[in-house]
C-alpha cells in the first residue's frame, strides 16, 4: 500500500526535478525491496533546478522535467502534452521526465479532461512554453559566446555554433533563468517537427508494467478511516434506519447518517461491504415520482407534444412534406447507460479546520475544489487538490459528488477519510447516459432528392438531445429540428461523446433508410448532400465540409466500398468534438450466418501528435461504441437499476472485437479532439452492415435485445 506524502506545489515542482525516475514524487513504496526516495533539503533542491515556466524545469545537468497539467485517464495525454513542449524546446527526449501537475489555476488554464478539448485548447500554449524556454537558453548561450542568437542552433538539448557543440542546456540554465522572457516567440514550422508524429512510448509504460502508478484506490494515510455509503433509490428519501447489525460487524467503527445517505466507517473496505448489506433502511417517496420511471409512456407523450423547442428551422418544411413524392419515417431509441470505469469512484479528504486536502481521481479538479468550498463554506484557496491517475472516467468523473461525500464525512468525523464505491455502488449511484428517443422524417421528390428533413429528439434528463447544426443541416432546403426533455429523479451526466454517442447511430442509420428509399448508394448520397451544402449552403454551416468529404472518400477507398461482391458493408460518418471520423463495417455470410469481420476507420483530427496514442484512441472508441450499441442496457424498477454488476450489465468481450483498420487524413489543421470522435459512427456502420447482409433494420439499442436481431446470431471474426 502506498502512502501519499504532503508537499505543497512549490516543493512538488522542485523535488520533481531532482529525481531521476521523476514519475512518482511524493510517494514511497512500503515493500522491503521497493525503491526509496532521498529527501533533499531546500538548499539542495534550489541548487539543482530552475523553473522556466509553469510547464517545465531544467536542471544544471541537463535533465528536463515537463509537467502535464491535465488529469490522465488513459488517453495518453501525459505523453502527448510533454511531446509538444519537448518538440519546441528541442529537448533530448531520453532526458525528459514527466510529472502530473497538481491543481493550480494561476499557472494552468482549463485544467481538466473532458469533451476531447484538452489538446486543441493546450496545443499553442504548450508550444509557446517550450519555445520560450529555448529562446532563453539560446540567448544565454549567445551572451556567453558573445555572438548573435541567430547564429546558434539547437538539437537534442544541445546548443551549436557553426555546427560545433558549445553547451548542453544545463550549462546555461542559470544564466537563462535570469533573463526576461519575450511576450511572443517564433514557433517551429510543422515540416520541421522531429518528435511530434513519431511513435513515442507512453512515458508510464515501465511504471504501469510494474504496478507503480498511484490510483485513488491506492491512497493511504496514517490515521485515515475508510467509508462506504448506502445511497437511496432515485426519487426516495430515508424514513428510518436500523444499523444495529451493521455496527456488530468486526472492523466497523461507526455508522453515520448524513443528508439522505448512510455511511459505514471502518478500517478497510471488506467489513464495510458486509456491514452495508446488514443495514435495514426504510425509504419513502420524495415527491410524486411514481410515473417517472414509465419511460415508454413518457416518450410516447412527448413525441406527440406540440410544445417542442425549435432548435433549427430552415425553409418551408410544411410545404416540402405536403408536396413530397415519398416520405420516409423512423424512430430510434437508446437506453440509460452506466459509465462503468474499471476503477469505481473514490476520493480522499482531510478537513482540518478551515483547511482541506483532497486527493483522488477527478477529471475536473477545480470543480472538486469549488464544490467542497461551497459545501464547507470556506475559501477555495484553502483547499488543495492532488490528482492521481484515473482508472477510466468516460465523463463520470466530471462530477464531484464522490469528492464532497468524502469532504463532508471528514468534517463530521474530524478525521481523514477515504470514500470508496463498490461496483454495485458505481452502477446504482446515478449520473448515467440519458435515455433518448428520436423521430425522423424525410421528404423526397420524384428524383429521390431529399427536399425536407425533420428530427424530433426526446430525452430523459438529457438537455438538448440534438446537435442541430451538424450534418445534414445546411445541406437540405427545408429542415426542422426540435427538442423536448422530461425531468426525472434519475441523475444523468456526460457520457463519452455526449448525445452524439447515440445520435450519430440514429442519424446515420436513418440516412441509409433514405438512401434505400431513394435508390441511391449511401456514400454517394452523403457526398451529394455535402456538395450541395458547399455550393448552395442553407443557413449557417458549423462543420467543415471538405474535412468531412475527406474522411468519407478515404474510408470508402480504403474499405473498397461496393467493390467486393461477397462483402456486405455499412457506412457511417460523423463530426464531433472538432474531428471527423468515417467508418465502414464489413460483414460476410458464412453458412447463412452474418460474420462481422472488419471495421475500417478514416479520421481527420488535424496533426497527429502521438500516433500510437491516437491509434489506441480510435480503436478504443470503436470497441466502446460497438460494445454499447450491441450489448449494454440499464433498466429501472421502483427507482433502482436492475443491473448492478457485470453479470447482468453486459460489456463487450475481447473475442467479440473484429479487425480494426485505422487511417488518418492529413488536412493540415492543428490537432483537434480524439478521445471521443471515433465512438459515435460505430453503431451506425455496424447496423447498416447488418441491414445490408440480412435485411433487418435495428432501430433500438442494445441490438441483442431487439427482436429483429434475435435470430441473426451475428458472429465476430478477425481476419
Amino acid at each position: 500500500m502506498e502512502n501519499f506524502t504532503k508537499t505543497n506545489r512549490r516543493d512538488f515542482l522542485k523535488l520533481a526535478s531532482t529525481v531521476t525516475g521523476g514519475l512518482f514524487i511524493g510517494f514511497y513504496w512500503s515493500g522491503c525491496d521497493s525503491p526509496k526516495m532521498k529527501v533533499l533539503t531546500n538548499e539542495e533542491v534550489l541548487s539543482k533546478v530552475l523553473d522556466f515556466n509553469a510547464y517545465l524545469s531544467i536542471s544544471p545537468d541537463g535533465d528536463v522535467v515537463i509537467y502535464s497539467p491535465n488529469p490522465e485517464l488513459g488517453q495518453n495525454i501525459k505523453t502527448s502534452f510533454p511531446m509538444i513542449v519537448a518538440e519546441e524546446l528541442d529537448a533530448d527526449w531520453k532526458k525528459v521526465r514527466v510529472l502530473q501537475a497538481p491543481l493550480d489555476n494561476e499557472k494552468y488554464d482549463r485544467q481538466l479532461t473532458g469533451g476531447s478539448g484538452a489538446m486543441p485548447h493546450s496545443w499553442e500554449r504548450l508550444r509557446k512554453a517550450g519555445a520560450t524556454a529555448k529562446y532563453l537558453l539560446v540567448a544565454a548561450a549567445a551572451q556567453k559566446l558573445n555572438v548573435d542568437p541567430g547564429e546558434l542552433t539547437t538539437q537534442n538539448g544541445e546548443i551549436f555554433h557553426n555546427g560545433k557543440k558549445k553547451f548542453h542546456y544545463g550549462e546555461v540554465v542559470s544564466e537563462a533563468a535570469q533573463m526576461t522572457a519575450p511576450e511572443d516567440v517564433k514557433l517551429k514550422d510543422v515540416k520541421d517537427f522531429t518528435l511530434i508524429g513519431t511513435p513515442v512510448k507512453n512515458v508510464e509504460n515501465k511504471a504501469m508494467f510494474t504496478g507503480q502508478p498511484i490510483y485513488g484506490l491506492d491512497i493511504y494515510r496514517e490515521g485515515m478511516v475508510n467509508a462506504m455509503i448506502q445511497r437511496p433509490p432515485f426519487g426516495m428519501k430515508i424514513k428510518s434506519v436500523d444499523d444495529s447489525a451493521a455496527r456488530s460487524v468486526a472492523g466497523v467503527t461507526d455508522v453515520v447518517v448524513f443528508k439522505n445517505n448512510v455511511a459505514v466507517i471502518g478500517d478497510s473496505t471488506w467489513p464495510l461491504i458486509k456491514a452495508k448489506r446488514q443495514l435495514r433502511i426504510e425509504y419513502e417517496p420524495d415527491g410524486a415520482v411514481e410515473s417517472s420511471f414509465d419511460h415508454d409512456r413518457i416518450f410516447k407523450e412527448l413525441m406527440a407534444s406540440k410544445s417542442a423547442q425549435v432548435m433549427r428551422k430552415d425553409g418551408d418544411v410544411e410545404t416540402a412534406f405536403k408536396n413530397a413524392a415519398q416520405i420516409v419515417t423512423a424512430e430510434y431509441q437508446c437506453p440509460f447507460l452506466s459509465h462503468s470505469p474499471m476503477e469505481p469512484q473514490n476520493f480522499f479528504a482531510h478537513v482540518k479546520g478551515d483547511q482541506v486536502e483532497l486527493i483522488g481521481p477527478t477529471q475536473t479538479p477545480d470543480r472538486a475544489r469549488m464544490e467542497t468550498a461551497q459545501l464547507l463554506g470556506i475559501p477555495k484557496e484553502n483547499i488543495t487538490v492532488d490528482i492521481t491517475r484515473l482508472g477510466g472516467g468516460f465523463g463520470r468523473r466530471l462530477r464531484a459528488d464522490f469528492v464532497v461525500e468524502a469532504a463532508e464525512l471528514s468534517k463530521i468525523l474530524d478525521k481523514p477519510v477515504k470514500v470508496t464505491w463498490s461496483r454495485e455502488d458505481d452502477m446504482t449511484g446515478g449520473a448515467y447516459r440519458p435515455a433518448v428517443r428520436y423521430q425522423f422524417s424525410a421528404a423526397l421528390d420524384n428524383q429521390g432528392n431529399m427536399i425536407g428533413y425533420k428530427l424530433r429528439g426526446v430525452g430523459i434528463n438529457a438537455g438538448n438531445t440534438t446537435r442541430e447544426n451538424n450534418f445534414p443541416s445546411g445541406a437540405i432546403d427545408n429542415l426542422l429540428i426540435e427538442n423536448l426533455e422530461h425531468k426525472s429523479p434519475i441523475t444523468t451526466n456526460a457520457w463519452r461523446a455526449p448525445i452524439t454517442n447515440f445520435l450519430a447511430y440514429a442519424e446515420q442509420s436513418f440516412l441509409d433508410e433514405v438512401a434505400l428509399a431513394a435508390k441511391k448508394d449511401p456514400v454517394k448520397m452523403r457526398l451529394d448532400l455535402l456538395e450541395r451544402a458547399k455550393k448552395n449552403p442553407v443557413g449557417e454551416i458549423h462543420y467543415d465540409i471538405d474535412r468531412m468529404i475527406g474522411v468519407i472518400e478515404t474510408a470508402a477507398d480504403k474499405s473498397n466500398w461496393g467493390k467486393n461482391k461477397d462483402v456486405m458493408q455499412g457506412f457511417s460518418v460523423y463530426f464531433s468534438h472538432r474531428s471527423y471520423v468515417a467508418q465502414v463495417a464489413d460483414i460476410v455470410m458464412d453458412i447463412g450466418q452474418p460474420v462481422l469481420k472488419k471495421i475500417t476507420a478514416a479520421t481527420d483530427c488535424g496533426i497527429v501528435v502521438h500516433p500510437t496514442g491516437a491509434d489506441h484512441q480510435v480503436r478504443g472508441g470503436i470497441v466502446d461504441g460497438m460494445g454499447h450499441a450491441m450489448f449494454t442496457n440499464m433498466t429501472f424498477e421502483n427507482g433502482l437499476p436492475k443491473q448492478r454488476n457485470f453479470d447482468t450489465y453486459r460489456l463487450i468481450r475481447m473475442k467479440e472485437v473484429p479487425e480494426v483498420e485505422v487511417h488518418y487524413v492529413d488536412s493540415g489543421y492543428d490537432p483537434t479532439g480524439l478521445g471521443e470522435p471515433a465512438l459515435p459512427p460505430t453503431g451506425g456502420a455496424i447496423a447498416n452492415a447488418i441491414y445490408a447482409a440480412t435485411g433487418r433494420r435495428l432501430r433500438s439499442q442494445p441490438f441483442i435485445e431487439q427482436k429483429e436481431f434475435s435470430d441473426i446470431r451475428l458472429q465476430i471474426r478477425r481476419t
Side-chain angles (χ1 to χ4, degrees), residues 20 172 203 285 429 431 513 522 541 588:
T20 303
V172 294
V203 297
E513 293 198 55
I541 303 289
V588 298

Side-chain angles (χ1 to χ4, degrees), residues 56-95:
L56 68 95
S57 300
I58 304 174
S59 67
D61 61 6
D63 283 336
V64 178
V65 174
I66 298 179
Y67 311 109
S68 185
N70 290 49
E72 171 63 82
L73 68 157
Q75 79 281 39
N76 294 298
I77 207 166
K78 199 169 179 179
T79 300
S80 55
F81 267 24
M83 285 177 68
I84 300 169
V85 178
E87 178 69 73
E88 291 291 347
L89 180 63
D90 276 341
D92 180 355
W93 185 252
K94 294 189 295 295
K95 301 195 74 173

